[in-house]
Amino acid sequence: MSESAIEITNLTKRFDDITALDNLSLEIGWGELFGILGPNGAGKSTAVNILSTLLEPTEGTATIDGCDVVFDPDCIRKIVGVCPQEPAFYPHLTGEENITLMGDMHLVPKDILKERIKTMVEKIGMEDHIKRRAKDYSGGMIRRVSMLMALINDPKIALLDEPTVAMDPKSRHAVWDFIRELKTQGKAIILTTHYMEEAQELCDRVAIIDEGKLIELGSPTELMEKHQAKNLEDVFLKLTGKKLREAF
Amino acid sequence: MNLRRILALINKDLKKTTREPAVLFLLLVFPIVLTFVFGLAFGGIGGGATTSFDVGLLNLDVTGPNTEWSDSFVNNLTSSEVFVIQEFTDNITGQAALQQGNLDAFIIIPEGFGDSIESYYGSPFDPSVWTNTTINLYVDSGSMMAVSAVPSLVQKALMETIFGSESMLIGLPVEIDSPALVESSTLSQWDFMAPGIFAFAAIFLTMIVAQSMTYERDEGLLKRLRTTPVSSAEYMVSQTLSNMVIAVVQVALVLASAFAIGYRPATGPAGIGFAFLIALAYSLVAVGFGLIAATISKSADVATGISFVFIMPQMFFGTFMPLGGATEVIAKFMPSKYITDALTTLFLRGAPVTSTIIWFDFAVVSILGIALILVGIALFERFGTK
Ligand SMILES: Nc1ncnc2c1ncn2[C@@H]1O[C@H](COP(=O)(O)OP(=O)(O)O)[C@@H](O)[C@H]1O
Ligand SMILES: [Mg+2]
């Protein structure tokens, strides 16, 4: 295990004339639940996609557990679990089959896979629905299944891109509890969100980004104290003059 | 390459075939329905009945000393059980009957027919003194069966008339086998079409591949898989194999339904085995076309339309539609045509599986399949995954 779980150095990503990420540097430690907070279009997914080897950065480097995202993608794909912003799943398969498929891709031993699915499904509150076809799921169910699909390989590092967006409160709390437990297992977790209460509730540290740039970094309490704000929403407002959810 | 990953992906694809009604219909139900419908419509059911052709006859050689030759020819035509002879007294009504579809063929025995044969017997080795005449034979071009069978049967009756019935058993160093085959079995138009059904069924794999690849791309499934250790080679192999499985099931279903309605291909287990083999090779072609269609399609709906660019010509020129002239040339470029040809050779003509021609067809389909799938993978990975 390398010293820090994730190291992002001067990472920049440009799409034609849009600079989605602008010289971002971050270091995330083991056992840390790290939030990337920013409005829509801030560059959160771009950062996650680079870390999950789907996009190549224009400039800069990123390593996960010492593996370079550009030069050693195979190393990274073995140790990360990625929950994409759009929960991709096979609608003709059941929730369980979708998760099993991901476990098969990671070659999780069959007996462990079965056992793990059972426990995880219970933890996230899907035991009554897991044998139904995913096409019949509600949005919240799909997101919960998508989360398990991402984490079935018991990854050292979890990259969760807005896992609770548009989720009903009940599902959201189930997911929050689930994420908190991941943290206790010593995993490094990146959680992107544009819900400040989510970042405040869960994260050890947050990076606030806007228009691809890091504008603030620290623990939620630190940041609120520093800016004399009552919550992170307020911090963002003071920093940018914009409200988080209206900033897009 | 890891077998477990490949099997898991194949399993995922095959479940789609059984669980999604549209896919189930197109790939498995449709071939069965198609076989039954065409079998019923074109005479597969009740296949025990002898096929016959309605043949109009106008005998113009009715005067003079040598009319017994034309009488004998008429007798030979009539005694062949496949012809139901209807006599006409003039050309116009005969032609009209043919055009209206009341006849499969119309034969005109010319004046001087008997004289010709007599002149031949007068000096068999000196063609210069023969008086030549021509039998006019008109065949209903709309009937594939008639076009392929009638001329040789007429030829056979003529040979019997001139040389006697023994002439078919002795004499020539080279013998033509097909008239005997056609007459002795009980073929219907369905027997000519059946080989094409196999290709017809498999053609639609292209559409399913194109749809599922665009779907997986657009829904982010390909990306999701790319964040796991599965390689694109494993993914492509699984795509190919699952479609091969479907192709095999399709052949089995078409065969079983054809058997159920009385179709008996003129081949043995080896020939049936060959049908599976060439269908496997063809599934490579279908996947290749599917990948190319997926590459140029912006969405799964567009993929459906684009697939038809690959499907339609193969359907019209490469299966059981009657061909002639320019379409024969176009057909040479249709991969499906080679399956149809090979299976026609085996199932209809009863050629042995050792025939070079069917292995040539197999080679064409296989080589094309491998080439297309490589091109398809290259194109899709380069341009199609965005
Ligand atoms: N593939 C792409 N091509 C062009 N522009 C893109 C692409 N992906 C993202 N962008 C742009 O980059 C910026 C950051 O997007 P994204 O990382 O998705 O933001 P977030 O996830 O924070 O909402 C946005 O302006 C978005 O329009
Ligand atoms: Mg995003």
Side-chain angles (χ1 to χ4, degrees):
Chain A
M1 269 216 264
S2 73
E3 208 165 306
S4 51
I6 299 172
E7 267 187 73
I8 298 172
T9 316
N10 306 120
L11 206 60
T12 297
K13 177 69 188 179
R14 278 187 284 271
F15 297 105
D16 302 319
D17 50 346
I18 298 168
T19 304
L21 268 190
D22 196 350
N23 203 27
L24 182 72
S25 297
L26 291 172
E27 209 176 314
I28 294 149
W30 296 107
E32 186 171 29
L33 209 172
F34 189 90
I36 298 181
L37 182 63
N40 261 345
K44 304 182 296 293
S45 296
T46 304
V48 167
N49 288 341
I50 290 174
L51 291 175
S52 51
T53 73
L54 292 175
L55 277 180
E56 288 199 3
T58 315
E59 281 157 33
T61 57
T63 59
I64 296 183
D65 195 15
C67 308
D68 187 281
V69 292
V70 176
F71 301 111
D72 207 354
D74 291 341
C75 162
I76 288 178
R77 289 168 191 174
K78 282 189 197 122
I79 56 173
V80 298
V82 183
C83 188
Q85 182 177 340
E86 295 304 326
F89 62 99
Y90 289 97
H92 70 280
L93 298 181
T94 66
E96 187 171 38
E97 288 166 339
N98 271 293
I99 302 167
T100 306
L101 180 63
M102 287 297 156
D104 287 332
M105 296 303 105
H106 284 285
L107 306 179
V108 177
K110 290 240 189 237
D111 43 341
I112 296 179
L113 180 60
K114 248 185 142 163
E115 203 48 46
R116 193 179 285 165
I117 290 176
K118 195 164 172 288
T119 14
M120 286 172 91
V121 163
E122 276 169 19
K123 270 184 202 153
I124 214 160
M126 278 291 289
E127 60 272 31
D128 294 339
H129 310 287
I130 204 65
K131 297 208 187 289
R132 283 168 57 197
R133 305 269 172 87
K135 68 176 161 55
D136 300 326
Y137 284 171
S138 68
M141 292 179 188
I142 285 169
R143 289 198 170 270
R144 279 184 278 167
V145 166
S146 178
M147 179 87 130
L148 300 193
M149 287 168 77
L151 298 170
I152 193 61
N153 58 329
D154 192 21
K156 288 200 271 186
I157 286 128
L159 305 173
L160 313 176
D161 195 359
E162 308 215 27
T164 64
V165 77
M167 213 182 231
D168 56 284
K170 191 165 158 265
S171 308
R172 176 169 301 150
H173 280 98
V175 170
W176 283 0
D177 289 342
F178 192 84
I179 293 174
R180 280 196 198 97
E181 188 176 330
L182 290 179
K183 199 177 101 78
T184 66
Q185 299 163 7
K187 298 181 197 305
I189 304 163
I190 286 189
L191 171 84
T192 76
T193 182
H194 65 267
Y195 296 121
M196 51 86 200
E197 68 270 39
E198 181 162 288
Q200 217 163 297
E201 184 81 25
L202 291 177
C203 298
D204 303 317
R205 277 196 305 154
V206 292
I208 299 180
I209 61 172
D210 190 32
E211 295 175 2
K213 290 190 197 60
L214 179 69
I215 54 175
E216 191 54 285
L217 177 68
S219 76
T221 33
E222 265 169 33
L223 295 186
M224 286 186 285
E225 270 171 31
K226 179 173 165 194
H227 294 278
Q228 297 174 342
K230 53 184 183 304
N231 55 37
L232 287 178
E233 175 81 61
D234 228 20
V235 173
F236 187 77
L237 183 67
K238 289 196 165 154
L239 283 167
T240 63
K242 291 184 286 191
K243 286 194 169 178
L244 253 181
R245 295 211 209 145
E246 287 168 7
F248 48 87
Chain B
M1 241 359 128
N2 181 285
L3 189 62
R4 177 164 164 206
R5 289 196 190 112
I6 292 170
L7 289 177
L9 291 169
I10 290 176
N11 181 29
K12 171 263 293 178
D13 285 332
L14 294 183
K15 279 191 175 134
K16 178 144 46 188
T17 313
T18 53
R19 289 182 185 174
E20 284 196 358
V23 180
L24 177 70
F25 178 81
L26 197 63
L27 293 185
L28 303 181
V29 179
F30 177 65
I32 299 176
V33 172
L34 192 76
T35 310
F36 275 104
V37 167
F38 279 93
L40 278 170
F42 295 95
I45 289 192
T50 306
T51 309
S52 61
F53 297 107
D54 293 316
V55 176
L57 186 64
L58 171 59
N59 186 358
L60 298 177
D61 196 32
V62 285
T63 52
N66 297 321
T67 54
E68 77 269 18
W69 287 109
S70 62
D71 292 341
S72 151
F73 182 44
V74 172
N75 274 340
N76 283 331
L77 287 171
T78 314
S79 68
S80 138
E81 280 172 10
V82 272
F83 288 157
V84 178
I85 299 291
Q86 194 182 333
E87 301 242 15
F88 284 82
T89 50
D90 68 300
N91 191 357
I92 294 170
T93 40
Q95 296 287 353
L98 183 65
Q99 261 162 17
Q100 286 154 14
N102 298 332
L103 294 178
D104 294 305
F106 182 50
I107 300 169
I108 303 176
I109 303 172
E111 220 182 317
F113 173 79
D115 301 341
S116 277
I117 297 174
E118 284 297 326
S119 74
Y120 165 78
Y121 275 114
S123 42
F125 305 109
D126 185 4
S128 64
V129 299
W130 299 346
T131 58
N132 293 311
T133 51
T134 305
I135 294 174
N136 289 310
L137 172 61
Y138 303 91
V139 184
D140 175 10
S141 59
S143 162
M144 216 177 341
M145 271 291 288
V147 170
S148 48
V150 169
S152 54
L153 290 170
V154 172
Q155 177 78 23
K156 188 185 168 203
L158 180 64
M159 297 302 271
E160 277 176 8
T161 308
I162 303 176
F163 301 108
S165 54
E166 303 77 26
S167 68
M168 302 311 283
L169 303 173
I170 50 159
L172 301 170
V174 178
E175 122 188 51
I176 304 167
D177 203 24
S178 58
L181 170 79
V182 170
E183 195 188 21
S184 61
S185 63
T186 56
L187 293 179
S188 65
Q189 190 153 345
W190 163 243
D191 292 272
F192 289 81
M193 299 175 79
I197 303 271
F198 290 90
F200 198 94
I203 283 173
F204 288 92
L205 283 174
T206 290
M207 189 161 112
I208 298 302
V209 172
Q211 283 175 343
S212 80
M213 296 298 281
T214 37
Y215 180 83
E216 296 204 0
R217 176 190 68 201
D218 297 347
E219 292 299 310
L221 284 157
L222 290 183
K223 278 190 180 160
R224 177 151 220 171
L225 288 173
R226 260 202 291 144
T227 65
T228 75
V230 68
S231 67
S232 62
E234 285 163 337
Y235 182 83
M236 288 300 175
V237 166
S238 77
Q239 274 289 316
T240 310
L241 289 179
S242 50
N243 283 285
M244 285 181 146
V245 172
I246 295 169
V248 165
V249 174
Q250 285 179 327
V251 171
L253 289 175
V254 172
L255 264 178
S257 352
F259 256 85
I261 55 175
Y263 177 65
R264 296 292 176 269
T267 191
I272 304 284
F274 179 87
F276 282 100
L277 199 63
I278 200 164
L280 281 176
Y282 183 78
S283 58
L284 299 179
V285 173
V287 176
F289 279 144
L291 286 169
I292 295 169
T295 306
I296 49 186
S297 304
K298 292 241 177 327
S299 73
D301 290 337
V302 177
T304 311
I306 301 242
S307 312
F308 272 92
V309 174
F310 298 99
I311 290 174
M312 294 303 252
Q314 292 200 76
M315 233 164 82
F316 285 120
F317 301 118
T319 60
F320 46 72
M321 313 286 176
L323 298 175
T327 55
E328 292 272 13
V329 180
I330 299 172
K332 295 235 183 312
F333 296 94
M334 298 299 142
S336 57
K337 180 68 184 161
Y338 292 86
I339 302 197
T340 306
D341 274 356
L343 296 187
T344 303
T345 304
L346 285 175
F347 289 5
L348 179 71
R349 303 191 187 108
V353 275
T354 47
S355 315
T356 339
I357 179 74
I358 65 164
W359 292 101
F360 170 77
D361 290 330
F362 176 73
V364 171
V365 177
S366 311
I367 292 168
L368 201 68
I370 291 167
L372 278 171
I373 211 163
L374 292 178
V375 169
I377 289 174
L379 284 176
F380 187 76
E381 296 206 330
R382 181 84 181 75
F383 305 107
T385 51
K386 296 289 181 299

